[in-house]
Amino acid sequence: GIQVEQSPPDLILQEGANSTLRCNFSDSVNNLQWFHQNPWGQLINLFYIPSGTKQNGRLSATTVATERYSLLYISSSQTTDSGVYFCAVVRLAGNTPLVFGKGTRLSVIA
Amino acid sequence: DAMVIQNPRYQVTQFGKPVTLSCSQTLNHNVMYWYQQKSSQAPKLLFHYYDKDFNNEADTPDNFQSRRPNTSFCFLDIRSPGLGDAAMYLCATSRDQGRLETQYFGPGTRLLVL
């Protein structure tokens, strides 16, 4: 099946810093989503971005489908950004479910 | 607000005692999913319903069953919980089954097995 690798696995930031999270995938996809899982376990959709660039406030994401990676940018980080960020994809070929990466655990300290 | 609701948020059960987790949605979505997420791991799909059609993942243990009595509700039944079934159980929905659909998650039920 498709492999989804996220990096870094863990990240500690000072409040106000910027960061870039990366998601590499091993096959062509037509569905890629970024999620934030807060410390209480809620998974929140950030972006549906199988290709191109999107922005939502301090967050933005870029997917380069031809090179099989996606980036999530967090600017001016806040303590409420802490949690785990998951990338999840659906492979282009075949009827496969959403496959999650292992996530990046982000801790933003004041 | 349209949303995905899971009850209870925390569930404690005894080893071997059947337990049922509940999910409801006000989004009127056709597809409902159940995921299991163990500590520090990614969510793992157990099964999903497309309308009334049940789709089981190949590696989902027989101990896990599901029911969807109507569009709004879906239940996860664990017939004989073992210690290894302690996890967060996440319900999600999508408008349709296509690969291009966005999934929306509920807050999860954290299951503890004693």
Side-chain angles (χ1 to χ4, degrees):
Chain A
I2 192 168
Q3 304 300 312
V4 183
E5 295 183 359
Q6 292 186 241
S7 60
D10 295 279
L11 184 60
I12 300 174
L13 294 178
Q14 197 76 37
E15 198 170 27
N18 303 328
S19 64
T20 300
L21 281 56
R22 187 175 180 104
C23 172
N24 292 334
F25 40 95
S26 61
D27 205 344
S28 298
V29 301
N30 59 6
N31 183 337
L32 188 148
Q33 296 176 48
W34 282 98
F35 295 92
H36 173 219
Q37 189 167 39
N38 65 25
W40 296 271
Q42 171 84 58
L43 267 170
I44 299 164
N45 297 74
L46 297 177
F47 295 102
Y48 170 82
I49 187 165
S51 64
T53 296
K54 290 186 178 180
Q55 180 155 6
N56 184 3
R58 296 181 296 103
L59 302 181
S60 64
T62 295
T63 297
V64 183
T66 53
E67 297 187 22
R68 299 182 184 171
Y69 73 88
S70 184
L71 302 173
L72 178 68
Y73 306 97
I74 305 174
S75 64
S76 304
S77 59
Q78 300 176 357
T79 55
T80 51
D81 295 332
S82 296
V84 182
Y85 290 81
F86 287 103
C87 167
V89 303
V90 176
R91 194 163 63 102
L92 180 63
N95 186 21
T96 57
L98 199 61
V99 176
F100 283 76
K102 293 184 177 181
T104 292
R105 183 173 298 277
L106 174 65
S107 299
V108 181
I109 54 177
Chain B
D1 286 340
M3 56 198 304
V4 182
I5 303 160
Q6 291 188 245
N7 286 305
R9 295 294 307 277
Y10 298 89
Q11 176 74 56
V12 181
T13 191
Q14 292 178 332
F15 183 94
K17 184 175 181 181
V19 65
T20 295
L21 309 182
S22 168
C23 178
S24 64
Q25 52 123 345
T26 61
L27 297 159
N28 204 32
H29 282 177
N30 287 322
V31 192
M32 296 186 76
Y33 308 81
W34 279 105
Y35 288 83
Q36 180 192 63
Q37 186 180 23
K38 295 190 176 181
S39 181
S40 301
Q41 295 184 20
K44 178 178 178 297
L45 182 64
L46 296 173
F47 27 59
H48 75 274
Y49 272 96
Y50 176 62
D51 196 13
K52 294 183 180 180
D53 293 332
F54 178 69
N55 298 271
N56 199 29
E57 293 302 302
D59 55 355
T60 298
D62 293 340
N63 198 26
F64 292 86
Q65 304 286 321
S66 186
R67 296 170 284 134
R68 190 179 185 187
N70 54 53
T71 300
S72 301
F73 284 87
C74 195
F75 300 99
L76 170 63
D77 301 308
I78 308 177
R79 293 191 298 184
S80 182
L83 298 179
D85 297 327
M88 173 76 91
Y89 290 88
L90 296 162
C91 174
T93 72
S94 64
R95 186 172 54 108
D96 209 337
Q97 188 169 240
R99 293 191 293 264
L100 305 183
E101 297 294 327
T102 300
Q103 291 189 21
Y104 299 91
F105 283 79
T109 294
R110 195 173 294 277
L111 178 68
L112 180 63
V113 182
L114 301 178

